Amino acid sequence: MRFGHFDDAAREYVITTPRTPYPWINYLGCEEFFGIVSHLAGGYCFHRDARLRRLTRYRYNAIPTDAGGRTYYLRDGGDYWTPAWAPVKRELDHYECRHGMGYTRITGARGGVRAELLFLVPLGASAEIHRVTLRNEGRVRKRLRLFSLVEFCFWNALDDQTNFQRNWNIGEVEVDGSTLYHVSEYRERRNHYAYFHVNAPLAGFDTDRESFVGLYNGLHEPQVVVEGEPRNSVARGWQPVGSHAVDLELAPGEERSLVFLLGYAENPPDRKWERPGLVNKAPAREVIARFSTAPQVDAAIAALRAHWDGLLSAFTVRSPDEKLDRMVNVWNPYQCMVTFNLSRSASYFDSGIGRGMGFRDSNQDLLGFVHQIPTRARQRILDLAATQFPDGGAYHQYQPLTRRGNHEVGSGFNDDPLWLILAVAAYTKETGDYAILEEQVPFDNDERTRAPLLDHLRRSFEHVLSNLGPHGLPLIGRADWNDCLNLNCFSETPDEPYQTTGVRDGRTAESVMIAGMFTAIGPEWARLLSHQDRTAEAAQALEAVRRMERAILEHGWDGEWFLRAYDFHGRKVGSRECAEGQIFVESQGWCVMGGVGLGTGQARQALDAVAARLDTRYGIMLQQPAYRSYHLELGEISSYPPGYKENAGIFSHSNPWIMIAETLVGRPDRAFAYYRKLAPAYLEDLSEIHRTEPYVYAQMIAGRDAARHGEAKNAWLTGTAAWNFVAVSQYLLGIRPEHEGLRVNPCLPAEIPEFTATRRCRGATYLVRVRNSGGGGRARLTVDGRALDGDVVPWARPGAVVKVDCVV
Ligand code: GLC
Ligand code: GLC
């Protein structure tokens, strides 16, 4: 069942009923200021850091599930309603929500009035624009009163929801004409405040929540709206809100727009005050002056569109499959940008409090994003590398505002270091900026310990080799990519976190996944070294990779597939000898991507086992059989009920590894079948089962053992976005930057007999035209009319347009 449809020309998903199976959200902002906005206008916004600089309050796990956000109430005679349907939920004559690239437009109509709410964060400003357009579609004159409402957060989102003995005393506001300022804590340590402005004179305002809503009322019946009269309340303590009341009179057919601006402003410490006791409002006024007329807002929308035109034009495809095209051209890169910006911090599943930027997550997010804005990828690489330790390990997470590693979580996730190499390899191939390798980067942000980035990568590589276990396979540490495989944890009390508890120096538990990663990412390290003319070191690195490959084949092969690990006691994990958890997906994907068993048959055999034992109609499960009881020696993985999350859920992130692996063994039908099972555009008709947005990937889909097989959770912020983009763009469509040039080597089934693609890279444009027989065979290339040896088109000079014809 569908709840809307794609509008490909506008690059929008159009939701046609407010009763979607779950709140379907979008993101505003792509620089420093972000908002999440649901199809009911729920959500919140923040400046840079969802935990430490949150402007508006949002209650997770509320009843109803999506309560509060940016609310606009309309009073029309005795009637009052909300154009985004919630929270008043009066029946609408018309409802539509269009989620687009960095903006959301919600339209509701009732009683002859049509109201459109447009939300966006303009480029170059830390603010949300809310443009409210009202149109009288009836035959009589309308006298309307519009009330806005946002609830301010006391900046630190964790404190805001926990420290009430303090919070109910600190609230302060200033009201200045049509601008409401939230200035709690500004008197003391904060130099920032929030403002909420409208470009119209006010009939009144409210800044105290209780005065506006009423102590025993809900947001669906705030007393001010029910009575129609603002109270001009000034918050002193308790809960500050921002609410404007604006009167409008509309003749039949007449339309009017109001521009609201909800923003963040910061002053230098010596310019905090206009005069004693009066906040310096200059930075807010400057932004207000830039965005308060209709033409200014139109220009901001146009600029945002142009921005996205630019970003999305770096890679485009045209094929006979419109779902493939809309994923590759619009929604997958869009999600990649969002995950790059937010890592795993703020979504409708991530509270914005718990986790900052993940080391492994952000390095992987970069893979799907680097072609869009390489300079931002560069900065991210340097930030990440600065949270590395001298021994090559890394803080698992860091806070975006401070860029400091998070001590609570610490380090010891032994896959982390390798992801940095992969990210830098992708960045240098994309840009040709090898100077980054010479950048001086500190360890653990300690400026006294700077070393070239190349040295950081070397330590990443060495970190694996200096932490090998009894079988010559890498030690797992607290966990590898699978956060829930905690082989050194042994947690018996419910109050301990799995990831940070346990025998920290376990020197026995080994990960075949990290071993596979080493065989796939080690050669990337060697290629970087060769490129820097360090051939001897490159040869040594490759030798280490070959040793690892031998160790995998000797100790990591289970007969029909690759083992997953050895536990603390040296027992096998992911083996047919196990009663539960006999086969895991991760080591199959990574070992094949590393080329292990490619020439000798194990690679295909492992992938056949995946198809036979892990594949379902909704995607590939993480392992089978699911753990039915808690395994002390395995940790969190066995804590989930069967079919959920890492315990045999369809953990979407790992699926593209298998797609890539299938292309490497030359099986396009299987690779593409896996792709289609997961890509949200193909799931639109299953929305009532899948439940999350049909335009973005979700982290997890319930596996076969779950009662609600096929139901997704954790939409948006997942490495699934980046990896699917890598899989589809670089391996299925087969267009992949290498150090020497652009590789064109598609692997698609016969159902995609041809396609054209445009790829911008290193300043040149490559126009690729592919004819495909579907056998997954070799690509024969003609470049600007001349036959090419091999499948790597040499880099052209910036500005050049290169025509590549490809026959598979
Ligand atoms: C808070 C504290 C308490 C302290 C009191 C006065 O109630 O919980 O410990 O004595 O404030 O500052
Ligand atoms: C979550 C984490 C990611 C981890 C994955 C598998 O998505 O963000 O770091 O790799 O779970 O456990």
Side-chain angles (χ1 to χ4, degrees):
M1 192 196 288
R2 296 184 182 201
F3 299 82
H5 56 88
F6 287 91
D7 180 341
D8 292 328
R11 298 194 197 119
E12 291 171 338
Y13 192 80
V14 187
I15 300 166
T16 48
T17 164
R19 293 176 179 86
T20 51
Y22 204 70
W24 284 359
I25 72 166
N26 191 16
Y27 284 78
L28 313 174
C30 40
E31 296 166 328
E32 301 220 296
F33 192 88
F34 300 98
I36 48 184
V37 57
S38 74
H39 72 295
L40 304 178
Y44 59 98
C45 58
F46 55 94
H47 174 76
R48 286 183 58 194
D49 191 312
R51 169 164 176 182
L52 299 174
R53 294 289 182 273
R54 196 177 294 196
L55 271 79
T56 53
R57 188 173 282 156
Y58 183 75
R59 288 172 190 76
Y60 281 88
N61 207 358
I63 304 174
T65 189
D66 184 26
R70 308 144 184 90
T71 313
Y72 287 90
Y73 298 92
L74 262 179
R75 257 195 81 98
D76 176 7
D79 187 29
Y80 68 91
W81 56 286
T82 34
W85 186 58
V88 174
K89 295 201 282 186
R90 292 241 207 285
E91 279 316 312
L92 300 175
D93 303 329
H94 169 78
Y95 165 88
E96 183 186 89
C97 168
R98 289 177 170 258
H99 285 316
M101 305 288 104
Y103 65 88
T104 285
R105 193 190 305 267
I106 302 173
T107 311
R110 180 177 164 89
V113 177
R114 184 186 162 95
E116 182 200 276
L117 313 176
L118 171 71
F119 302 103
L120 73 141
V121 170
L123 295 168
S126 266
E128 280 186 10
I129 292 174
H130 305 171
R131 188 183 68 190
V132 180
T133 305
L134 301 174
R135 187 181 168 79
N136 182 352
E137 294 189 321
R139 286 155 195 263
V140 294
R141 217 172 166 74
K142 289 274 187 190
R143 300 181 61 186
L144 305 170
R145 182 165 272 184
L146 176 75
F147 294 92
S148 65
L149 178 70
V150 300
E151 187 180 1
F152 291 112
C153 175
F154 289 121
W155 301 112
N156 180 325
L158 180 61
D159 253 39
D160 184 72
Q161 296 290 319
T162 48
N163 191 0
F164 304 111
Q165 62 92 21
R166 173 175 164 79
N167 290 348
W168 295 164
N169 297 287
I170 62 174
E172 291 186 275
V173 298
E174 265 192 40
V175 179
D176 179 30
S178 296
T179 317
L180 313 173
Y181 291 87
H182 175 226
V183 298
S184 297
E185 294 192 334
Y186 186 80
R187 266 184 318 101
E188 13 104 17
R189 297 165 302 167
R190 294 186 188 276
N191 302 328
H192 49 259
Y193 56 84
Y195 56 91
F196 191 26
H197 168 84
V198 60
N199 66 343
L202 302 186
F205 62 87
D206 277 284
T207 64
D208 174 60
R209 189 180 84 196
E210 192 176 318
S211 307
F212 182 84
V213 181
L215 187 55
Y216 294 104
N217 297 39
L219 290 175
H220 62 293
E221 45 165 19
Q223 64 186 17
V224 157
V225 177
V226 172
E227 292 162 8
E229 288 305 322
R231 307 212 165 173
N232 299 339
S233 59
V234 175
R236 294 189 172 85
W238 296 110
Q239 302 91 354
V241 298
S243 172
H244 311 88
V246 180
D247 287 335
L248 300 110
E249 218 177 298
L250 294 179
E254 193 183 347
E255 183 178 288
R256 264 195 68 191
S257 284
L258 296 168
V259 182
F260 292 82
L261 203 61
L262 172 63
Y264 169 92
E266 213 172 280
N267 279 317
D270 57 338
R271 272 184 273 150
K272 278 182 77 161
W273 306 100
E274 223 162 274
R275 57 185 158 77
L278 206 65
V279 174
N280 175 5
K281 306 187 184 68
R285 291 195 180 117
E286 184 266 325
V287 177
I288 290 169
R290 274 160 55 203
F291 301 106
S292 46
T293 67
Q296 284 173 328
V297 174
D298 289 340
I301 300 166
L304 193 62
R305 270 197 202 288
H307 176 72
W308 277 102
D309 285 346
L311 293 176
L312 298 179
S313 64
F315 192 121
T316 59
V317 65
R318 231 188 135 82
S319 79
D321 182 342
E322 64 170 11
K323 293 175 181 146
L324 175 68
D325 291 4
R326 70 170 63 115
M327 285 313 308
V328 173
N329 296 337
V330 184
W331 294 98
N332 195 176
Y334 183 59
Q335 188 179 3
C336 285
M337 165 66 102
V338 170
T339 51
F340 177 83
N341 283 329
L342 297 164
S343 195
R344 306 297 170 268
S345 69
S347 73
Y348 266 32
F349 298 87
D350 294 291
S351 67
I353 290 173
R355 302 196 282 173
M357 312 294 285
F359 190 89
R360 80 157 78 90
D361 293 331
S362 295
N363 276 305
Q364 289 172 85
D365 293 343
L366 193 143
L367 305 176
F369 164 81
V370 61
H371 66 292
Q372 294 189 38
I373 312 184
T375 48
R376 290 194 57 206
R378 185 181 213 271
Q379 188 55 50
R380 179 64 54 78
I381 286 171
L382 300 178
D383 288 350
L384 285 163
T387 63
Q388 208 179 6
F389 294 106
D391 76 351
Y395 275 110
H396 196 49
Q397 292 163 4
Y398 72 96
Q399 215 45 48
L401 195 68
T402 59
R403 300 190 193 167
R404 296 280 151 160
N406 176 344
H407 283 280
E408 272 163 51
V409 186
S411 66
F413 298 78
N414 285 349
D415 62 314
D416 272 338
L418 286 175
W419 299 113
L420 182 66
I421 298 177
L422 194 61
V424 174
Y427 171 78
T428 48
K429 288 175 186 173
E430 178 72 34
T431 59
D433 170 21
Y434 294 92
I436 195 176
L437 299 171
E438 306 305 326
E439 284 283 342
Q440 295 285 325
V441 185
F443 292 100
D444 191 9
N445 276 297
D446 178 347
E447 291 299 328
R448 292 164 303 182
T449 60
R450 292 171 157 260
L453 181 65
L454 192 78
D455 198 35
H456 282 256
L457 303 186
R458 176 176 296 116
R459 295 188 199 201
S460 289
F461 184 77
E462 294 294 335
H463 188 269
V464 176
L465 294 178
S466 42
N467 289 285
L468 296 178
H471 302 91
L473 298 166
L475 294 172
I476 195 167
R478 291 167 191 238
D480 58 23
W481 169 87
N482 188 331
D483 265 334
C484 298
L485 199 58
N486 315 118
L487 304 182
N488 295 305
C489 173
F490 296 93
S491 178
E492 285 183 287
T493 75
D495 310 316
E496 302 168 336
Y498 289 100
Q499 276 85 31
T500 54
T501 304
V503 191
R504 293 183 182 188
D505 298 324
R507 303 300 294 180
T508 44
E510 298 166 292
S511 162
V512 179
M513 172 177 178
I514 301 181
M517 284 175 69
F518 190 81
T519 60
I521 298 172
E524 296 290 351
W525 167 234
R527 275 175 220 129
L528 275 172
L529 287 169
S530 309
H531 195 276
Q532 298 302 98
D533 294 325
R534 295 171 191 258
T535 32
E537 194 184 351
Q540 275 170 18
L542 286 179
E543 190 41 49
V545 167
R546 277 189 287 270
R547 278 201 306 278
M548 188 68 77
E549 192 174 345
R550 286 196 293 274
I552 294 174
L553 287 172
E554 193 170 335
H555 300 292
W557 178 251
D558 194 53
E560 284 174 75
W561 56 80
F562 294 101
L563 279 180
R564 180 61 176 86
Y566 285 96
D567 72 13
F568 182 85
H569 307 291
R571 288 191 295 245
K572 293 175 182 172
V573 180
S575 159
R576 56 195 160 165
E577 294 168 17
C578 307
E580 300 174 332
Q582 293 177 337
I583 172 171
F584 281 65
V585 71
E586 305 99 308
S587 41
Q588 320 313 322
W590 277 99
C591 290
V592 177
M593 284 195 281
V596 184
L598 262 190
T600 43
Q602 288 97 333
R604 274 176 177 251
Q605 223 183 330
L607 294 176
D608 287 342
V610 168
R613 290 163 188 262
L614 298 179
D615 187 27
T616 75
R617 60 180 292 209
Y618 300 117
I620 305 167
M621 294 176 289
L622 194 132
Q623 107 274 4
Q624 276 291 299
Y627 295 107
R628 307 247 149 220
S629 57
Y630 180 51
H631 290 247
L632 189 61
E633 75 289 4
L634 300 179
E636 185 167 4
I637 189 168
S638 57
S639 75
Y640 284 111
Y644 290 97
K645 295 281 279 183
E646 281 86 343
N647 189 13
I650 296 161
F651 214 92
S652 313
H653 186 146
S654 57
N655 280 230
W657 299 336
I658 301 299
M659 297 167 204
I660 295 171
E662 286 288 358
T663 68
L664 296 177
V665 302
R667 295 196 291 209
D669 293 293
R670 266 211 196 148
F672 195 60
Y674 286 140
Y675 176 76
R676 292 175 33 150
K677 276 187 191 177
L678 216 67
Y682 295 88
L683 309 181
E684 199 185 3
D685 289 329
L686 300 176
S687 287
E688 82 283 9
I689 298 169
H690 188 70
R691 292 190 70 201
T692 57
E693 296 88 334
Y695 41 92
V696 292
Y697 287 97
Q699 179 213 54
M700 198 272 311
I701 299 167
R704 201 168 48 205
D705 303 279
R708 297 165 74 151
H709 184 31
E711 180 187 67
K713 291 198 185 93
N714 296 28
W716 282 98
L717 302 185
T718 161
T720 313
W723 275 108
N724 271 284
F725 192 75
V726 169
V728 69
S729 65
Q730 300 188 9
Y731 290 89
L732 287 160
L733 298 169
I735 301 176
R736 172 159 91 246
E738 303 283 4
H739 294 292
E740 305 75 30
L742 189 66
R743 191 185 297 277
V744 177
N745 187 3
C747 185
L748 283 166
E751 60 186 287
I752 313 283
E754 58 187 12
F755 71 88
T756 56
T758 305
R759 177 68 158 93
R760 231 181 29 236
C761 201
R762 302 193 184 194
T765 304
Y766 300 82
L767 305 175
V768 181
R769 185 189 185 85
V770 174
R771 269 165 302 151
N772 168 47
S773 66
R778 249 170 41 107
R780 276 180 293 115
L781 302 189
T782 318
V783 179
D784 287 332
R786 263 183 278 159
L788 183 82
D789 249 357
D791 58 7
V792 178
V793 182
W795 292 120
R797 60 178 168 74
V801 177
V802 183
K803 281 196 167 166
V804 183
D805 273 292
C806 169
V807 179
V808 186

